[in-house]
Amino acid sequence: MAVISKIEIEITTNTPFEIKPKTEALTALAKLDLDVLQKLSELSKSPKAISQLKNNFGMIKGFLG
């Protein structure tokens, strides 16, 4: 049995055009299991991890399939 909880969060964007894709990305993340979500959250706090993801996304994505 799944527990469903709706929350309200504040989204900061540079332009109004970023609201929809950012909302969709956050909705997709909400569907991940807790362990994966916590690991991604930990990585999101690391400037080095964010830089690596931004600069090497194609390679990372290709490596993981």
Side-chain angles (χ1 to χ4, degrees), residues 16-44:
F17 303 107
E18 293 179 354
I19 294 172
K20 184 177 179 186
K22 202 165 189 179
T23 301
E24 290 171 352
L26 290 168
T27 300
L29 289 172
K31 295 176 184 177
L32 296 173
D33 68 49
L34 179 59
D35 183 51
V36 174
L37 191 57
Q38 287 177 321
K39 289 175 180 173
L40 288 172
S41 174
E42 184 178 334
L43 289 174
S44 76

